[in-house]
Amino acid sequence: MSKNAAGARTGSEQALALYQELRGSTGESVDDVARRLDLTEAERERCHAELVTLGLITASPGPDPAVPTVVDPDIALLRLLQHERERLENRLAETSRAHTTLETLAGPFLRAGMQPGSEVEVEIVEDPARIQRELADLTNVVRSSVHSMLTGSVRREEMSLELARDRDRVARGVRVQAMYSHRVGQVPEMAQHLAERTALGVEVRLSAVVPMNMVLADENFALLPTDPHDPESAAILARGPGLVRSYRALYDYCWHAATPYGHEEPAERGGDGLSEQQRAALRMLASGIKDEQVARNLGVSLRTVSRLISEVMQELDAASRFEAGVKAARLGLLDGEAYEAPTT
C-alpha cells in the first residue's frame, strides 16, 4: 500500500490499514509499520489504541515487546463478544443485588416507621395528586441536594414546572442531579429539555440502566415506587437518614456508571430496522456458526443467508462481517444468551 493511499484514509480506516499491514509483516513493530504508512504520532497512537481495544493486537510475549501479536478477526470478535456479555451480566447482577437489598430492607424499615420515636418514617402513597404535592413542597424545604432518576420521559405539561423548580433550587445553592436512560436522550423534545436543565446548572447524566424512578433530597427524603418494575405503582414516601442512605448508595452506584449529558459517544447507526430473521442470522454468525449451518437452522437457502448478511451489513453501515459483528456488540444486538445449535 502506498503512503499516499494510506494518508488519504481517516479514522477507523487508518486503523484498518495499520492492522492489514501488521498481518502481512513479520517481526515489525507498530512504529515501523506506522512510519511506512506515513502516519503521524497522534494517528499512530489512536490507531494502536483502537486495535488494542478491539482485541486485534496484543502485547507480544516474545523477546521484543515492541512487536505486537496480531489476532485473527474471528478470534478477536469472539473475545470481544464474550467481554461484552460478561460486562452486561455483571451490570445486571449488580442491579439485581441492589434490588434484593432494597426488598430485604423494606420489611424491617416499614415496621420501624410505625414505632414511636423511630428516626425512620415510611408511608405508602397511592394518590398521584399527593405525590405531586410532596414534590412541590420539596422545592421549598430542600437545603443542600436533590437527586433524581427517571426511567422514561417527562410529560410535556410538566417540563416547564420542572424548569421552574430547577431555577429556584439552583438559585438557593442546592445541588441538583438528574439521571435518565440513553433512549430518553434520543427523543428530540427530551433532548431539548435536558439541554435546558443543564443550562440552568443541573447535573444531568444518561445511563444504559436506570432501575427505577427515584427522588432523594438532603439524605432525609426519598420517593420511589413500591414496585421498581411498575412506575405507575403506589409510591414509598420515606423520611429519615437511616433508610434514605441505603437508597442513596444505589443512586451513587448508578450515577458513577452513567455518562454526563453532552459527553456521550455518538450513537452508531443501525439495528432498529433488522428483522427477526436477520437478527437470528447475525447471532448465529457471531457464535461462530458457518453459513451452511445457518441456512439449515433457518430453513433457507445458502443464497438467502448471503442476502441476509448483506442486508445486515447495509443496516449497520459495515464494510465487512467483522465490522458488523463489532457494531452489533456495541449496539447491544448480541446481548443475552449466545445461540446454540440444536443437538441431533
Side-chain angles (χ1 to χ4, degrees):
M1 181 182 299
S2 69
K3 291 184 177 181
N4 290 336
R9 296 175 180 269
T10 59
S12 295
E13 292 181 343
Q14 290 179 328
L16 177 60
L18 179 62
Y19 174 70
Q20 290 173 333
E21 288 291 320
L22 286 170
R23 290 194 74 188
S25 64
T26 303
E28 286 190 281
S29 68
V30 174
D31 288 342
D32 292 337
V33 176
R35 280 192 292 270
R36 190 165 69 248
L37 293 176
D38 202 22
L39 298 178
T40 65
E41 181 178 354
E43 290 170 340
R44 180 193 63 78
E45 292 180 355
R46 178 185 52 73
C47 291
H48 180 268
E50 182 171 348
L51 294 179
V52 170
T53 299
L54 292 174
L56 291 171
I57 60 174
T58 61
S60 174
D64 187 356
V67 178
T69 297
V70 180
V71 181
D72 288 340
D74 291 347
I75 296 176
L77 177 58
L78 290 176
R79 289 176 179 173
L80 176 65
L81 298 181
Q82 180 64 26
H83 172 74
E84 289 295 318
R85 184 174 294 115
E86 290 175 353
R87 181 188 62 80
L88 177 63
E89 289 174 350
N90 290 337
R91 175 69 68 85
L92 293 176
E94 289 288 345
T95 303
S96 177
R97 283 194 290 271
H99 284 168
T100 300
T101 300
L102 294 179
E103 291 171 355
T104 302
L105 292 174
F109 276 118
L110 283 172
R111 291 191 295 271
M114 300 177 184
Q115 296 172 1
S118 170
E119 66 169 344
V120 176
E121 297 179 7
V122 179
E123 181 181 359
I124 303 299
V125 181
E126 298 182 355
D127 181 10
R130 165 78 187 286
I131 296 174
Q132 292 303 316
R133 287 196 300 271
E134 292 289 347
L135 291 174
D137 293 344
L138 183 63
T139 298
N140 300 323
V141 300
V142 64
R143 298 186 303 276
S144 62
S145 63
V146 176
H147 312 273
S148 65
M149 63 169 63
L150 192 66
T151 58
S153 299
V154 178
R155 292 186 178 90
R156 182 178 303 175
E157 59 272 16
E158 295 177 358
M159 289 183 175
S160 59
L161 179 59
E162 187 167 57
L163 292 175
R165 292 172 179 169
D166 288 338
R167 292 189 188 93
D168 179 86
R169 293 166 179 171
V170 173
R172 291 191 290 112
V174 175
R175 182 181 185 184
V176 183
Q177 292 182 330
M179 190 181 343
Y180 302 85
S181 68
H182 283 296
R183 60 181 176 79
V184 168
Q186 296 171 3
V187 178
E189 190 173 32
M190 274 300 298
Q192 176 64 28
H193 181 62
L194 299 186
E196 292 176 351
R197 296 197 73 185
T198 302
L200 290 175
V202 176
E203 301 173 46
V204 177
R205 291 195 177 188
L206 302 180
S207 174
V209 178
V210 179
M212 67 181 76
N213 292 337
M214 181 188 296
V215 179
L216 308 175
D218 291 340
E219 296 194 5
N220 194 56
F221 173 95
L223 183 69
L224 61 156
T226 52
D227 182 358
H229 303 291
D230 180 12
E232 301 300 324
S233 64
I236 298 175
L237 178 60
R239 291 185 175 87
L243 177 56
V244 176
R245 287 195 193 105
S246 298
Y247 297 139
R248 178 63 186 275
L250 171 62
Y251 186 91
D252 287 344
Y253 168 79
C254 296
W255 179 261
H256 290 303
T259 306
Y261 180 71
H263 295 80
E264 60 273 8
E265 296 181 359
E268 292 188 89
R269 169 189 164 186
D272 293 339
L274 293 178
S275 67
E276 286 303 316
Q277 189 180 48
Q278 291 167 339
R279 289 173 185 265
L282 177 61
R283 287 194 295 270
M284 282 187 274
L285 289 170
S287 298
I289 299 175
K290 301 299 184 183
D291 288 16
E292 293 80 2
Q293 184 62 47
V294 174
R296 287 194 292 270
N297 292 341
L298 293 179
V300 298
S301 67
L302 193 58
R303 183 177 180 180
T304 298
V305 171
S306 297
R307 176 179 57 79
L308 288 173
I309 299 306
S310 296
E311 292 169 349
V312 169
M313 291 168 57
Q314 182 177 1
E315 171 66 22
L316 299 179
D317 193 24
S320 66
R321 292 188 177 195
F322 173 72
E323 185 180 358
V326 172
K327 285 192 172 185
R330 289 175 178 169
L331 291 166
L333 300 178
L334 304 176
D335 291 345
E337 295 296 327
Y339 182 89
E340 295 183 2
T343 58
T344 56

